[in-house]
């Protein structure tokens, strides 16, 4: 069974016959994260509450906790051996989805599904409109064949930020915070005092996109390749090159403006959560769950001063970019005006699972 972690989080036990739900198990929402390089199936157990006066209803999907502590367990499982669905022809994308659903979802889980939605992200946004529409149609037909109450949509970058904010609200039980998500192509920032006043922006300055823009900069050698001879790698020179190439235009300046508004929005607005694989690498490298800007700068200078590489580091282009990683993330954090960032578990799928936009039961009276 490929979906063990998610099923266990959803309250199921695994046996030879698949997932055996407990008698009091509640409804499930399935969110399919169709990313640029792979596809994840994300299950969430939903709690629905309604206001007796207004008759308005809302959904919640709090993270499973033990003795008041977050489990840290994810609810998403990747479909094995599947590339990004947007990279496949329509028929191939539908076949890959069908195979993943068959391998990963036990009949008992499908019976509990209140609905399902497949949401494409950056990979879908980069596909020409006509081809994208054909892939979406093929995926929609296949998904409805398995789960009647289902749909397919393509998220904008700002949608991702807004849903990530909602996800952190569920995980952290916070009503006022901000998220900073670093992707390869784009950066999402979202913040606000409550779910009705979230400001979310997406900028094309992701960590890989920024690296591409540095290719013509003579100072690139200061941050890459990692392990250059003495005098050729310098953390502060690398930061200066990144700032010139990436954070000098009007679009990047909008990040500073949006973050300033979020910091002033509420009592807890100073809490910033870092999302995405790049931030996970930073928190793992520093072995901390909360990092201040000064700590990030100090650690980055130490990383850039190292001269010896392991065999694994010499053969991995991403490990060789460790100096660049810390330089880029430190400039990004500095631009937000926040002086500290906290590791954020998960990303936007949990937010999608409670959204009335994708699951009508979460908004209908």
């Amino acid at each position: 069974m490929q979906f063990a972690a998610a099923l266990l989080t959803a309250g199921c036990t695994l046996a030879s016959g698949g997932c055996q739900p407990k008698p009091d198990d509640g409804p499930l929402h399935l969110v399919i994260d169709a990313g640029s390089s792979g596809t994840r199936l994300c299950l969430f157990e939903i709690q629905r509450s309604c206001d007796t006066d207004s008759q308005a209803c809302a959904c919640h999907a709090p993270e499973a906790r033990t003795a008041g502590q977050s489990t840290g367990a994810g609810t998403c499982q990747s479909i094995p051996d599947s590339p990004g669905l947007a990279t496949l022809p329509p028929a191939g994308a539908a076949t890959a989805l069908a195979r993943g659903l068959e391998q990963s979802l036990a009949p008992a889980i499908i019976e509990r599904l209140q609905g399902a939605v497949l949401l494409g992200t950056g990979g879908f946004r980069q596909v020409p409109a006509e081809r994208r529409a054909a892939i979406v149609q093929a995926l929609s037909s296949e998904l409805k064949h398995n789960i009647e109450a289902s749909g397919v949509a393509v998220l904008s970058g700002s949608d991702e930020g807004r849903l990530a904010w909602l996800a952190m609200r569920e995980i952290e039980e916070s009503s006022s915070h901000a998220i900073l998500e670093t992707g390869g192509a784009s950066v999402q920032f979202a913040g606000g005092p409550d779910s009705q006043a979230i400001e979310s922006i997406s900028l094309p300055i992701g960590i890989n996109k920024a690296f591409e823009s540095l290719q013509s900069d003579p100072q690139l050698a200061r941050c890459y390749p990692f392990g250059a001879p003495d005098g050729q790698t310098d953390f502060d020179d690398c930061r200066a090159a990144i700032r010139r190439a990436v954070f000098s235009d009007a679009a990047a300046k909008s990040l500073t403006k949006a973050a300033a508004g979020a910091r002033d929005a509420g009592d807890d607005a100073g809490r910033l959560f870092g999302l995405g694989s790049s931030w996970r690498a930073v928190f793992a490298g520093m072995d901390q769950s909360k990092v201040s800007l000064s700590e990030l700068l100090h650690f980055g200078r130490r990383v850039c001063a190292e001269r010896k590489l392991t065999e694994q580091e010499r053969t991995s282009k991403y490990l060789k970019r460790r100096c660049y990683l810390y330089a880029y993330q430190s400039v990004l954090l500095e631009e937000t005006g926040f002086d500290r960032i906290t590791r954020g578990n998960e990303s936007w799928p949990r937010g999608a699972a409670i959204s009335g936009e994708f699951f009508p039961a979460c908004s209908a009276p």
Side-chain angles (χ1 to χ4, degrees):
M1 178 69 67
Q2 299 293 332
F3 210 8
L7 296 182
L8 289 171
T9 304
C12 295
T13 58
L14 292 176
S16 58
C19 177
Q20 307 298 324
K22 302 192 299 287
D24 58 346
D25 279 335
L28 297 174
H29 286 176
L30 172 64
V31 177
I32 303 174
D33 172 6
S36 58
S37 59
T39 305
R40 301 186 303 155
L41 305 181
C42 306
L43 271 177
F44 301 95
E45 195 160 22
I46 299 300
Q47 302 170 5
R48 185 168 179 261
S49 61
C50 301
D51 185 89
T52 54
D53 295 327
S54 66
Q55 295 188 348
C57 295
C59 288
H60 293 282
E63 185 185 29
R65 294 170 183 265
T66 302
Q69 298 299 315
S70 169
T71 64
T75 57
C76 297
Q77 178 67 42
S78 295
I79 293 178
D81 304 319
S82 175
L85 297 179
T87 67
L88 301 173
T95 299
L97 175 61
R99 184 172 60 248
L101 293 174
E102 181 181 4
Q103 292 176 346
S104 303
L105 294 182
I109 288 295
I110 294 179
E111 290 177 4
R112 289 175 56 198
L113 287 178
Q114 194 174 57
V117 63
L118 184 151
L119 298 174
T121 55
F124 276 81
R125 294 194 292 268
Q126 295 173 12
V127 173
E130 185 175 350
R131 181 167 176 266
R132 179 172 62 239
I135 298 173
V136 166
Q137 178 59 46
L139 291 171
S140 180
S141 297
E142 181 59 45
L143 191 56
K144 284 187 178 297
H145 176 72
N146 291 272
I147 305 165
E148 184 175 353
S150 62
V152 177
V154 177
L155 294 177
S156 68
S158 60
D159 287 336
E160 288 186 51
R162 175 176 56 84
L163 295 177
W165 188 98
L166 290 173
M168 294 311 300
R169 184 193 69 181
E170 298 297 292
I171 294 170
E172 298 294 331
E173 300 177 352
S174 169
S175 60
S176 181
H177 55 270
I179 66 97
L180 180 64
E181 183 168 28
T182 301
S186 63
V187 166
Q188 281 71 240
F189 177 88
D194 56 61
S195 60
Q196 304 303 315
I198 305 170
E199 181 176 2
S200 178
I201 62 171
S202 179
L203 300 170
I205 55 173
I207 191 166
N208 294 337
K209 188 78 170 179
F211 186 78
E212 292 172 7
S213 69
L214 280 168
Q215 295 305 302
S216 60
D217 194 306
Q219 294 298 310
L220 176 60
R222 296 294 189 181
C223 25
Y224 183 82
F226 178 69
D230 289 347
Q232 291 187 19
T233 305
D234 183 88
F235 182 73
D236 292 296
D237 285 350
C238 180
R239 277 172 37 87
I242 293 170
R243 192 177 296 281
R244 286 194 304 272
V246 182
F247 293 93
S248 59
D249 61 15
K253 296 300 181 185
S254 63
L255 172 64
T256 304
K257 181 179 179 181
R263 291 197 310 276
D264 298 335
D267 293 339
D268 296 327
R271 299 180 71 196
L272 175 68
F273 296 100
L275 306 175
S277 59
S278 299
W279 281 114
R280 287 196 296 272
V282 167
F283 291 119
M286 298 181 67
D287 194 23
Q288 294 179 220
S289 60
K290 295 181 181 179
V291 173
S292 70
L293 177 59
S294 61
E295 290 170 334
L296 186 56
L297 292 171
H298 177 77
F299 191 85
R301 291 189 180 98
R302 193 177 79 188
V303 167
C304 284
E306 294 175 2
R307 298 300 173 206
K308 293 182 179 180
L309 295 175
T310 66
E311 179 61 29
Q312 183 184 20
E313 289 168 337
R314 281 195 296 270
T315 57
S316 169
K317 69 176 182 179
Y318 294 110
L319 289 175
K320 286 192 292 186
R321 292 182 188 177
R322 279 195 298 157
C323 178
Y324 168 73
L325 166 69
Y326 290 99
Y328 171 90
Q329 295 286 61
S330 66
V331 175
L332 181 62
L333 179 59
E334 201 168 43
E335 287 293 316
T336 68
F338 284 81
D339 60 7
R340 183 173 297 273
I341 190 165
T342 301
R343 181 176 60 207
N345 293 327
E346 303 180 23
S347 185
W348 57 264
R350 189 182 293 271
I354 62 171
S355 171
E357 180 180 355
F358 306 116
F359 296 94
C362 294
S363 59

